[in-house]
Amino acid sequence: MFESHQLTRTQRDDLRTVAAMIVPASDEYKVPGADDPAIQADILATLGRDAKLVTAALDHLARLAGQPLAELDAARRDAVAQEFRKHGGAAAATLVRVVLQCYYRDDRVLRSLGLELRAPFPQGYVLPDGDWSLLDPVRERAGTLRRAP
């Protein structure tokens, strides 16, 4: 697991700034931005195999900005973000994916989308253990044999 202490304070601040740019908070829909402390904690706790690319993305942003991204005014931040989108490559795509996956698994965001905070079972009901009746249509089909490659 990736530990958040592997990111510098400046990188964590820049990550929070980028996250807010990707998904800002909305009073209209009553959802937090991706810079919300709970979402940021989830991002930092689950970076895992994406840590190197996220760190590379944050370093690239820092080079483009010439100073911490969080300290730039909004217009300069937007210009840096546009440049980053053009030339960030896999690191930029990974950074965006990491932010979005953590954002869209937050309970508040799921509720705002009208989703329940549990696994989606058929017809909204939990299946009893051992009830395999959902597989009956599959079992009724004739078997298909295919040549192995």
Side-chain angles (χ1 to χ4, degrees):
M1 179 181 283
F2 183 78
E3 296 295 327
S4 64
H5 69 270
Q6 291 179 326
L7 290 180
T8 67
R9 175 76 178 173
T10 301
Q11 287 172 324
R12 288 192 307 267
D13 290 345
D14 284 353
L15 176 60
R16 190 171 25 264
T17 301
V18 168
M21 293 172 71
I22 294 171
V23 185
S26 172
D27 291 333
E28 179 182 356
Y29 297 106
K30 297 179 177 76
V31 291
D35 61 334
D36 181 81
I39 296 169
Q40 286 293 299
D42 187 23
I43 292 170
L44 293 173
T46 60
L47 276 176
R49 65 186 174 94
D50 295 319
K52 287 182 181 177
L53 282 174
V54 168
T55 301
L58 294 170
D59 290 345
H60 187 174
L61 278 165
R63 282 191 303 278
L64 290 173
Q67 69 185 74
L69 194 65
E71 295 176 6
L72 296 177
D73 61 65
R76 179 73 180 120
R77 258 194 322 260
D78 288 341
V80 168
Q82 291 296 331
E83 184 67 22
F84 180 63
R85 282 184 201 121
K86 289 180 191 173
H87 305 289
T94 299
L95 176 61
V96 171
R97 180 182 50 77
V98 164
V99 169
L100 292 177
Q101 78 183 12
C102 291
Y103 180 77
Y104 283 107
R105 70 177 169 219
D106 184 83
D107 291 351
R108 296 163 293 176
V109 175
L110 290 173
R111 275 190 214 99
S112 77
L113 295 171
L115 300 173
E116 293 186 39
L117 306 178
R118 61 183 174 88
F121 290 101
Q123 301 169 351
Y125 301 103
V126 176
L127 298 176
D129 285 338
D131 180 0
W132 297 99
S133 62
L134 286 174
L135 292 177
D136 289 344
V138 176
R139 289 183 183 131
E140 291 171 5
R141 283 190 264 168
T144 303
L145 298 176
R146 294 190 177 109
R147 179 179 291 255

